[in-house]
Amino acid sequence: MQTILLIEDNTDIRENTAEILDLAGYKVLTAENGKLGVELALQQKPDLVICDIMMPVLDGFGVLHMLQRNDDLQDVPFIFLTAKTERTDFRKGMEMGADDYITKPFSGTELLHAIEGRLKKALLKKQEFASNPEGLNKLMQAATGKESLQLLSEGRNTDKFKKKQVIYMEGNHPAHLFYIQKGKIKTFKRNEDGKELVVELYNAGDFLGYIALLEGTVYKETAEAMEECEIAVIPREDFEELLHNNHEVAVQFIRLLARNITGKEQQLLGLAYNSLRKKVAEALMHLHKKYSGHKEGPFAIDISRDNLAAIAGTATESLIRTLGDFREEKLIDIKDGAIIILNEKKLGALLY
């Protein structure tokens, strides 16, 4: 149960508002002036504060100032409750860090909508999201209460791609966001000698090409189908509209991109310093994590040795020799070209 601190000197308003909040399922703490309200906030650490501006002892601006100075309370959503509507009051409160205003008289619906919106945004700020397509999907669901990006994909034109067909090329300007409805896709880069390095793997339900859209730059890698794929094409304008309408989403995307850079740095360090066995084991475990669906038992994937070598960052010949060693050690098996992971724990232990 979430806790709301209500600071209001008018007894009738305080009691009526507290009753509305209680009926809505919140735990309600009340204070009749700003000084008592600050003391109660320090003791109870509420999830949200509703505070009148004009009060004896300590006014609403003073309460906000005191809470902003406390590390444990500075991120708690703060809503002013006031009968004053002068623009100077609104501006001063927002500059100090208030999240919203509710002007008296107000309805119960107006009050509850404001509270729900601020609590939802506060929860979003606290959450961590992985720097991958799954993290992107979870972010949008948390921000909007529904899988907004998936809804964007509905009713779109669906393009079909054959195995090894290119979805987009490195250096091209992005015009669309792609939603994978069926199939597996890899993104990769090539050096001057033509050697390929796989940057990321994507599966059905993932979104593709969003980093270039967010950065406003060209694609830094090439995307290619690893098998027959069906992809919904979403105009960049629709995607950008969704971002621009939600500040918290934009902030989280910045964090996603920052963690994405950190992950790529770790990947480069692994390619530079890991042993051959560790590189191949890490590639296999990455495939297992991406495509197994967290199912128990042996996991099999049909992937070309060239693709697997590109993921591991090693030569195809070296990869084949290492797979042979893993097969003799009964970590994997190979049937009809498919690689079967027999012992996930032992294979994963090679990473440490």
Side-chain angles (χ1 to χ4, degrees):
M1 181 182 293
Q2 293 172 303
T3 301
I4 295 178
L5 172 60
L6 173 62
I7 308 173
E8 167 63 63
D9 63 323
N10 184 294
T11 302
D12 291 337
I13 295 177
R14 185 173 66 251
E15 292 179 352
N16 290 336
T17 304
E19 184 178 358
I20 293 172
L21 298 176
D22 182 65
L23 290 173
Y26 296 107
K27 177 182 178 182
V28 186
L29 307 173
T30 61
E32 62 189 30
N33 62 58
K35 180 175 180 296
L36 293 176
V38 171
E39 293 174 353
L40 201 54
L42 293 172
Q43 295 171 4
Q44 300 293 329
K45 305 294 189 299
D47 296 296
L48 181 141
V49 176
I50 301 174
C51 184
D52 188 20
I53 288 184
M54 301 301 294
M55 295 184 297
V57 185
L58 183 67
D59 66 11
F61 296 126
V63 172
L64 179 57
H65 178 72
M66 296 290 288
L67 298 188
Q68 290 286 340
R69 293 179 59 186
N70 186 282
D71 292 339
D72 295 331
L73 298 172
Q74 60 183 359
D75 292 328
V76 173
F78 193 99
I79 299 176
F80 272 129
L81 192 63
T82 178
K84 299 187 66 176
T85 59
E86 289 84 351
R87 293 182 61 86
T88 54
D89 289 325
F90 283 90
R91 185 177 303 156
K92 180 178 179 181
M94 301 307 285
E95 288 176 352
M96 290 180 63
D99 295 284
D100 205 350
Y101 267 88
I102 298 179
T103 305
K104 305 174 187 176
F106 56 87
S107 67
T109 301
E110 180 184 3
L111 173 69
L112 295 176
H113 281 173
I115 291 171
E116 290 169 4
R118 292 303 161 183
L119 287 175
K120 182 178 178 180
K121 291 183 178 181
L123 179 61
L124 178 61
K125 290 180 180 179
K126 295 178 182 178
Q127 295 185 54
E128 294 291 331
F129 300 93
S131 53
N132 56 27
E134 183 181 357
L136 172 64
N137 296 343
K138 289 182 179 179
L139 164 61
M140 300 311 301
Q141 186 174 14
T144 63
K146 55 186 177 182
E147 295 185 10
S148 298
L149 286 179
Q150 189 167 353
L151 290 176
L152 274 179
S153 69
E154 295 179 358
R156 302 292 178 177
N157 293 330
T158 299
D159 292 339
K160 295 184 178 181
F161 294 83
K162 296 181 180 180
K163 185 176 181 179
K164 293 190 176 181
Q165 188 173 352
V166 171
I167 289 93
Y168 60 76
M169 289 285 294
E170 180 179 357
N172 286 352
H173 290 274
H176 301 93
L177 176 70
F178 302 97
Y179 177 77
I180 306 172
Q181 296 177 328
K182 177 183 177 182
K184 299 180 178 65
I185 292 173
K186 66 176 180 179
T187 55
F188 64 90
K189 297 176 70 69
R190 283 198 176 102
N191 62 13
E192 294 178 355
D193 298 326
K195 185 176 180 180
E196 182 180 303
L197 172 65
V198 172
V199 177
E200 186 59 87
L201 299 173
Y202 298 83
N203 198 12
D206 287 341
F207 289 86
L208 181 69
Y210 60 87
I211 292 181
L213 288 173
L214 291 170
E215 292 179 335
T217 59
V218 298
Y219 292 118
K220 301 296 195 303
E221 69 286 317
T222 298
E224 181 182 282
M226 298 170 63
E227 59 187 31
E228 290 190 359
C229 297
E230 295 181 4
I231 301 176
V233 180
I234 303 163
R236 67 177 299 167
E237 293 80 9
D238 292 359
F239 178 59
E240 290 175 347
E241 182 181 358
L242 180 62
L243 294 182
H244 294 162
N245 289 337
N246 195 313
H247 173 71
E248 281 69 25
V249 171
V251 170
Q252 285 290 356
F253 267 118
I254 293 173
R255 295 176 182 173
L256 279 178
L257 291 175
R259 286 197 292 273
N260 186 276
I261 292 172
T262 301
K264 293 299 181 285
E265 289 175 347
Q266 293 174 346
Q267 180 185 12
L268 290 173
L269 286 173
L271 293 175
Y273 298 112
N274 287 347
S275 67
L276 177 59
R277 283 173 61 86
K278 187 172 182 178
K279 288 179 181 179
V280 177
E282 191 166 31
L284 291 172
M285 292 302 297
H286 184 49
L287 288 168
H288 182 277
K289 181 179 179 181
K290 183 67 183 178
Y291 297 122
S292 69
H294 306 291
K295 295 179 181 178
E296 297 183 358
F299 162 72
I301 183 167
D302 188 0
I303 184 172
S304 72
R305 301 304 178 261
D306 290 337
N307 273 334
L308 185 55
I311 295 170
T314 187
T316 304
E317 295 78 7
S318 300
L319 170 87
I320 292 173
R321 287 197 302 270
T322 306
L323 290 177
D325 293 340
F326 287 173
R327 188 177 188 179
E328 290 181 2
E329 298 167 26
K330 300 189 182 306
L331 299 176
I332 67 169
D333 195 6
I334 301 175
K335 291 183 179 180
D336 299 325
I339 298 173
I340 304 170
I341 297 178
L342 300 175
N343 196 322
E344 176 191 350
K345 290 184 178 180
K346 285 189 177 180
L347 187 64
L350 297 178
L351 306 182
Y352 304 99

